[in-house]
Amino acid sequence: MKIAILGYGVVGSGAYEVAQAAHNIEVKRVLYKRPIDELGDIVTTEYEDILKDEEIELVAECIGGLHPAYEYVSAALKSGKHVVTPNKNLVAAYWDELHDLAREHGAEFRYTASAGGGIPWLFNLQRQSRSDDILSISGIVNGTCNYILDTMHNEPVDFAEILAKAQELGYAEKDPTADIGGFDTQRKCVISANLAFGTSISEEDVPVFGIQNITAGDIKYFNEHGYTCKLLMNAGQTETGAYAYVEPTLVSRGALESSVPANNNLISLTGNHIGTLSFYGQGAGKYPTGTSVIQDVLDIENGWKFSDKSEKNDVSVDNRLEAHRYYIRENGSCKITGPLSVTEAHRLASESSDEHFFMAGIRE
Amino acid sequence: MKIAILGYGVVGSGAYEVAQAAHNIEVKRVLYKRPIDELGDIVTTEYEDILKDEEIELVAECIGGLHPAYEYVSAALKSGKHVVTPNKNLVAAYWDELHDLAREHGAEFRYTASAGGGIPWLFNLQRQSRSDDILSISGIVNGTCNYILDTMHNEPVDFAEILAKAQELGYAEKDPTADIGGFDTQRKCVISANLAFGTSISEEDVPVFGIQNITAGDIKYFNEHGYTCKLLMNAGQTETGAYAYVEPTLVSRGALESSVPANNNLISLTGNHIGTLSFYGQGAGKYPTGTSVIQDVLDIENGWKFSDKSEKNDVSVDNRLEAHRYYIRENGSCKITGPLSVTEAHRLASESSDEHFFMAGIRE
């Protein structure tokens, strides 16, 4: 199969290299703003060269961001080309539209790398849901936050200090808001929940509380009480509706999540028949993410389709359905609450006058 | 797709029930020694009824053991029917022959449930190896041993006592030799290594040391030194050959393996591009294993093939290639050795005059 890769940054160049090792894939074109010596004349600055090339059956969008990624991906699907992308922003924001376009034009649209990076999480979530009702999903999907929290648990270091170190190591962006504010995790939660429950919730449905206010003092308290703090996405179905939220979560020291080091990810599903399955690996990086992109390409090349259940589940999110205890620190004093609904806890957070307010859900 | 299930024990009945929830699968026949009220006239005692039924495209062998499973599976493949089986004994013992038969007759042969039960381990191992060189595999694949070791780490209890409790709970067989002696793990190691490295090693290539000699005193020592003991399969490729062995292994308390509770499994691969991926879940049980069987059926129904790399890697096992430190207890005294090759350590074990000899590899 002849494919084109859009972008040649970390993921695009990783996907290019991994593709060289896979049989049956030829990267015919790479879209990039300037020549790339080692790639020679396959590089083009003109997307039209790719779109009009009928030999190119698949476009791997590795540019990131919403625009022009959205325009490129839409145009590819409209011309019947399959699309693979690791772009969580794009997939979360245009879920219905891009899936509809793919369906209308007989193209495949895959995005395994958009949540979990190198981990075949979304692929296995879809595969599992063929024979199982997915009851809930949960996990660590942001390596930057995990690196920061893991380090803070292991050495007495302030949040600001370890964030700076993460930026220095390239684990955190210059503007770290999307990571530490939980918005990256929120998008991955939207995508995972949509696949798990066959629905289309949006970012606005998923309340987020990030880790930017956590202190060495909070961590000391957690360590002393046998808890590890992780930023988790959570979503599930109950008999009366669904819940979906992102918040720092205290897990017991013996939990699998507690043993996830550095910038790795661990993501779980619980199914009616299968019980809990967890998937661990590198959630980002050139070769891991590039590998997931190429695995999606190979699935399409091999004709591996998920049957299209056209009827969509009309699941609406109601976070009053999920309640648990919280650790809350406000105006310098901390407490463990009784069971609070997610709606109520996130309301407390947003209405607090303490700009240093911090909370973490407690997993029982 | 119309299928037949051979056997209606724990896994067969689980597969039957899971199949009811999957679209596009009809269980047309169940082979069983006596009538099953709720299944009515689909039950037969005659395998010929299934073999000669041209509507039946796939046989799910859930009888277990080598015979007549081998005869039934061979006959199915020879008649061009696809075969799915969770039978690790069969798959490990007749690896080349059954794969050759499937290839010759254009049938698919899948056995995801034969290692890891409900975990999509073998499936993902094959999928990953399409775009990656698998450098090593490792994991907890026997729930009985994990249940025993996990319990011993959490409470001061003797091996014999907890084995009896595991038997009472149905986690251990009446004759527990295959589990606690490591032979079940050995078979799963053979199957996993064969898929990982594209080769065909045999059970005799994989030295085994089991957990039957572990004592509460050993566990106390491990707890005090920050180690958790797990029975692991291990296999890998080096530049000069491969290694493959099964032994109790001491992992640090922060390792992912250390957090695997009760009778669960956790299995990992390390690939050239992807780094380490781990898969966690229930390694056995009616619905988990039944689910893996039906997932294999759905993969075949959906036409999901792995391209057949006909050239086989001529990998031979040489356990002198892998060395690490060992905990060794012999004649009542224990020590931590320097790096010992696996060959050397297992020779010490087999030649010891102490019938209570125990050793565990130490993962650095």
Side-chain angles (χ1 to χ4, degrees):
Chain A
M1 177 185 270
K2 291 187 167 65
I3 74 169
I5 295 176
L6 314 186
Y8 201 73
V10 173
V11 180
S13 64
Y16 178 84
E17 283 189 51
V18 175
Q20 307 311 308
H23 298 290
N24 307 332
I25 297 181
E26 180 197 331
V27 182
K28 191 178 177 196
R29 284 292 198 178
V30 169
L31 181 75
Y32 199 59
K33 56 200 164 193
R34 56 178 176 268
I36 302 160
D37 282 348
E38 65 272 26
L39 301 191
D41 60 5
I42 71 167
V43 180
T44 175
T45 58
E46 300 301 316
Y47 186 50
E48 284 294 306
D49 289 346
I50 290 164
L51 204 58
K52 291 191 169 154
D53 187 333
E54 291 186 1
E55 279 192 347
I56 293 173
E57 294 180 63
L58 183 150
V59 168
E61 183 275 304
C62 301
I63 301 172
L66 290 182
H67 305 284
Y70 165 75
E71 287 74 17
Y72 288 171
V73 164
S74 307
L77 292 172
K78 280 178 189 159
S79 72
K81 294 189 198 303
H82 309 302
V83 169
V84 170
T85 179
N87 186 336
K88 65 205 134 264
N89 299 33
L90 178 74
V91 178
Y94 293 96
W95 181 268
D96 278 335
E97 190 177 334
L98 295 176
H99 281 88
D100 287 347
L101 271 182
R103 199 176 297 116
E104 279 166 34
H105 296 276
E108 293 290 316
F109 177 47
R110 302 286 176 95
Y111 36 82
T112 296
S114 70
I119 304 170
W121 155 244
L122 294 174
F123 175 83
N124 279 282
L125 177 62
Q126 276 195 282
R127 184 173 180 268
Q128 187 61 34
S129 67
R130 301 180 307 182
S131 68
D132 217 354
D133 285 330
I134 308 298
L135 308 176
S136 64
I137 56 166
S138 159
I140 300 165
V141 289
N142 184 277
T144 306
C145 290
N146 201 65
Y147 172 81
I148 290 172
L149 294 172
D150 185 42
T151 310
M152 288 180 78
H153 268 285
N154 291 327
E155 44 189 279
V157 61
D158 271 338
F159 182 83
E161 193 182 326
I162 187 61
L163 173 61
K165 195 178 160 197
Q167 287 172 315
E168 197 182 299
L169 286 168
Y171 290 174
E173 311 270 344
K174 230 185 276 178
D175 175 1
T177 316
D179 291 321
I180 65 175
F183 304 107
D184 172 87
T185 300
Q186 182 192 41
R187 287 167 196 139
K188 292 166 176 170
C189 186
V190 166
I191 296 170
S192 302
N194 282 351
L195 280 186
F197 312 138
T199 184
S200 69
I201 66 171
S202 328
E203 295 172 37
E204 307 85 66
D205 295 322
V206 182
V208 171
F209 191 80
I211 64 164
Q212 58 273 71
N213 278 359
I214 199 167
T215 64
D218 296 324
I219 297 278
K220 184 163 176 285
Y221 179 94
F222 304 152
N223 276 341
E224 284 167 4
H225 290 76
Y227 287 124
T228 306
C229 184
K230 298 288 185 183
L231 184 70
L232 295 190
M233 68 170 186
N234 294 283
Q237 295 194 85
T238 70
E239 278 178 25
T240 50
Y243 59 86
Y245 60 96
V246 172
E247 63 189 23
T249 302
L250 304 182
V251 299
S252 73
R253 198 164 293 143
L256 214 54
E257 285 84 355
S258 175
S259 297
V260 175
N263 58 343
N264 292 289
N265 287 187
L266 182 129
I267 327 174
S268 305
L269 64 83
T270 299
N272 192 33
H273 285 128
I274 198 66
T276 296
L277 286 181
S278 300
F279 301 85
Y280 166 90
Q282 293 180 45
K286 176 173 176 170
Y287 295 113
T289 308
T291 293
S292 272
V293 169
I294 297 305
Q295 289 282 5
D296 278 353
V297 174
L298 286 166
D299 289 348
I300 294 172
E301 150 78 15
N302 292 339
W304 291 17
K305 293 186 185 185
F306 291 105
S307 64
D308 183 24
K309 299 189 208 106
S310 290
E311 83 287 17
K312 207 159 68 182
N313 294 325
D314 191 16
V315 176
S316 61
V317 174
D318 180 354
N319 282 314
R320 292 171 303 187
L321 296 171
E322 164 64 16
H324 46 256
R325 295 185 304 147
Y326 278 85
Y327 167 91
I328 289 184
R329 177 178 45 70
E330 189 169 20
N331 298 319
S333 71
C334 67
K335 62 175 177 191
I336 303 291
T337 72
L340 275 186
S341 78
V342 170
T343 302
E344 177 67 5
H346 285 249
R347 192 184 59 73
L348 288 177
S350 66
E351 292 179 357
S352 174
S353 61
D354 177 9
E355 60 175 337
H356 302 294
F357 180 99
F358 180 74
M359 69 175 186
I362 300 176
R363 180 186 283 181
E364 309 294 343
Chain B
M1 177 184 271
K2 291 188 168 65
I3 73 169
I5 295 176
L6 314 186
Y8 200 73
V10 173
V11 180
S13 64
Y16 179 84
E17 283 189 51
V18 176
Q20 306 311 307
H23 299 289
N24 306 333
I25 297 181
E26 181 198 330
V27 182
K28 192 179 177 195
R29 283 291 198 179
V30 169
L31 181 74
Y32 199 58
K33 55 199 164 195
R34 55 177 177 268
I36 302 161
D37 282 349
E38 64 272 27
L39 301 191
D41 60 6
I42 71 167
V43 179
T44 176
T45 57
E46 298 302 316
Y47 186 50
E48 283 294 307
D49 290 345
I50 290 163
L51 204 58
K52 290 193 169 153
D53 187 334
E54 291 187 359
E55 280 193 347
I56 293 173
E57 293 180 63
L58 184 149
V59 168
E61 183 276 303
C62 302
I63 301 171
L66 290 182
H67 304 284
Y70 164 75
E71 287 74 18
Y72 288 171
V73 163
S74 307
L77 292 172
K78 281 179 190 160
S79 73
K81 294 189 198 303
H82 310 302
V83 169
V84 170
T85 179
N87 187 337
K88 65 205 134 271
N89 299 32
L90 178 73
V91 178
Y94 293 96
W95 181 267
D96 279 336
E97 188 176 334
L98 295 176
H99 281 88
D100 286 348
L101 270 182
R103 200 176 297 116
E104 278 166 34
H105 297 276
E108 293 290 316
F109 177 49
R110 302 287 175 95
Y111 37 81
T112 296
S114 70
I119 304 170
W121 155 246
L122 294 174
F123 175 83
N124 277 282
L125 176 61
Q126 276 194 282
R127 183 172 180 269
Q128 187 60 37
S129 67
R130 300 180 308 182
S131 68
D132 217 353
D133 285 329
I134 308 298
L135 308 176
S136 63
I137 56 167
S138 158
I140 300 165
V141 290
N142 185 277
T144 306
C145 291
N146 201 65
Y147 172 80
I148 290 173
L149 294 172
D150 185 42
T151 309
M152 289 181 79
H153 268 285
N154 291 326
E155 44 189 275
V157 62
D158 271 339
F159 182 83
E161 192 182 329
I162 187 61
L163 173 61
K165 195 179 159 197
Q167 287 172 314
E168 196 182 301
L169 286 168
Y171 291 173
E173 310 271 344
K174 232 185 277 178
D175 175 0
T177 315
D179 292 321
I180 66 175
F183 304 106
D184 173 87
T185 300
Q186 181 193 42
R187 287 167 196 141
K188 292 165 177 171
C189 186
V190 166
I191 296 170
S192 302
N194 282 351
L195 280 186
F197 312 138
T199 184
S200 69
I201 65 172
S202 328
E203 295 172 34
E204 306 84 66
D205 295 322
V206 182
V208 171
F209 191 81
I211 64 164
Q212 57 274 68
N213 279 359
I214 199 168
T215 65
D218 297 323
I219 298 278
K220 184 163 175 285
Y221 179 93
F222 304 152
N223 277 340
E224 283 167 4
H225 289 78
Y227 287 124
T228 305
C229 184
K230 298 288 185 184
L231 184 70
L232 294 190
M233 67 170 188
N234 293 284
Q237 295 195 85
T238 70
E239 278 177 25
T240 50
Y243 59 87
Y245 59 96
V246 172
E247 63 189 23
T249 302
L250 304 183
V251 299
S252 75
R253 198 164 292 143
L256 215 53
E257 284 84 356
S258 174
S259 295
V260 175
N263 57 343
N264 291 289
N265 287 187
L266 183 129
I267 327 174
S268 305
L269 64 84
T270 299
N272 192 31
H273 285 127
I274 198 66
T276 296
L277 287 181
S278 300
F279 301 85
Y280 166 90
Q282 294 180 45
K286 176 173 177 170
Y287 295 113
T289 308
T291 293
S292 272
V293 169
I294 296 304
Q295 289 282 5
D296 278 352
V297 174
L298 286 166
D299 289 348
I300 294 172
E301 149 79 15
N302 292 339
W304 291 17
K305 293 186 185 183
F306 291 105
S307 63
D308 183 24
K309 299 189 208 110
S310 288
E311 83 284 21
K312 208 160 65 181
N313 294 325
D314 192 15
V315 176
S316 62
V317 174
D318 180 355
N319 282 315
R320 292 170 302 184
L321 295 171
E322 163 64 15
H324 46 258
R325 295 185 303 148
Y326 278 85
Y327 167 91
I328 289 184
R329 176 178 46 70
E330 189 170 21
N331 298 320
S333 71
C334 67
K335 63 176 178 191
I336 303 290
T337 71
L340 275 187
S341 78
V342 170
T343 302
E344 176 68 4
H346 285 249
R347 192 185 58 74
L348 288 177
S350 67
E351 292 179 359
S352 174
S353 60
D354 176 9
E355 60 176 337
H356 302 293
F357 181 98
F358 180 74
M359 70 175 186
I362 301 176
R363 183 188 282 181
E364 309 295 340

